[in-house]
């Protein structure tokens, strides 16, 4: 994936310290014929770029993951499990986490994880070290000061 633009949006952690983006998906260079296409009119082609395209692709990937998990386990995965499968199946692009998140969407690998066919899925899907006053709050900034350490069991 050398030379691929990874993220056209500003990249930084959320106020709670969670890195964004979480995963990358195709987001530009696709064209679709509009539903009301009239022959001979080139203006009926719509170009999808950015999140309007990548969100649809990621949602479709999650639908396939939910289906594969259900067929294997007899129940649908909860949100945390589905997110973990999606992110654990991503292809590392060799960039930092604020540029690529978990990596580039790989639906095939995520389905292998959902069906226990191959691979390892990590839960939680990401870890931001630190806390506040000795506690961890999901929606609060994670702080660490020089010399401090933190750990977590995956």
């Amino acid at each position: 994936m050398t030379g691929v633009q990874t993220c056209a949006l500003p990249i930084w952690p959320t106020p709670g310290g969670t890195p964004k983006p979480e995963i990358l998906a195709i987001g530009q260079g696709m064209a679709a014929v509009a539903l009301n296409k009239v022959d001979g009119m080139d203006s009926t082609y719509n170009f999808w770029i950015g999140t309007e395209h990548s969100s649809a692709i990621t949602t479709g990937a999650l639908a396939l993951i939910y289906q594969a998990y259900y067929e294997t386990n007899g129940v649908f995965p909860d949100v945390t499990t589905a997110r973990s499968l999606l992110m654990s199946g991503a292809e590392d692009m060799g960039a930092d986490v604020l540029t690529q998140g978990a990596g580039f969407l790989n639906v095939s690998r995520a389905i292998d994880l959902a069906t226990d066919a191959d691979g390892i899925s990590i839960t939680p899907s990401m870890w931001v070290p630190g806390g506040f006053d000795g506690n961890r709050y999901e929606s609060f900034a994670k702080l660490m000061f020089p010399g401090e350490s933190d750990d977590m069991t995956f």
Side-chain angles (χ1 to χ4, degrees):
M1 301 234 103
T2 305
V4 174
Q5 181 180 353
T6 56
C7 187
L9 300 173
I11 51 177
W12 55 70
T14 65
T18 305
K20 297 291 181 181
E22 294 179 18
I23 195 164
L24 298 176
I26 295 171
Q28 88 184 76
M30 300 296 289
V33 178
L35 293 175
N36 61 349
K37 180 184 182 306
V38 177
D39 288 333
M41 298 183 71
D42 292 334
S43 64
T44 59
Y45 287 89
N46 294 329
F47 288 94
W48 289 31
I49 59 173
T51 57
E52 62 196 20
H53 189 206
S54 60
S55 295
I57 288 175
T58 305
T59 301
L62 277 168
L64 294 171
I65 291 167
Y66 270 82
Q67 179 181 358
Y69 189 92
Y70 179 81
E71 289 175 0
T72 301
N73 300 290
V75 295
F76 288 107
D78 60 21
V79 173
T80 303
T81 302
R83 179 185 195 178
S84 177
L85 292 168
L86 183 75
M87 293 177 72
S88 293
E91 294 278 342
D92 183 8
M93 296 178 60
D96 66 88
V97 70
L98 292 177
T99 303
Q100 74 165 23
F104 199 81
L105 176 66
N106 184 329
V107 182
S108 178
R109 185 185 292 175
I111 289 172
D112 283 347
L113 292 170
T115 59
D116 296 326
D118 191 23
I120 298 171
S121 177
I122 303 296
T123 301
S125 55
M126 71 175 70
W127 175 51
V128 179
F132 182 75
D133 201 23
N135 296 306
R136 289 185 191 275
Y137 302 101
E138 184 64 31
S139 299
F140 199 81
K142 280 63 170 185
L143 304 173
M144 284 189 69
F145 296 100
E148 289 185 333
S149 64
D150 200 357
D151 60 50
M152 175 174 239
T153 302
F154 292 90

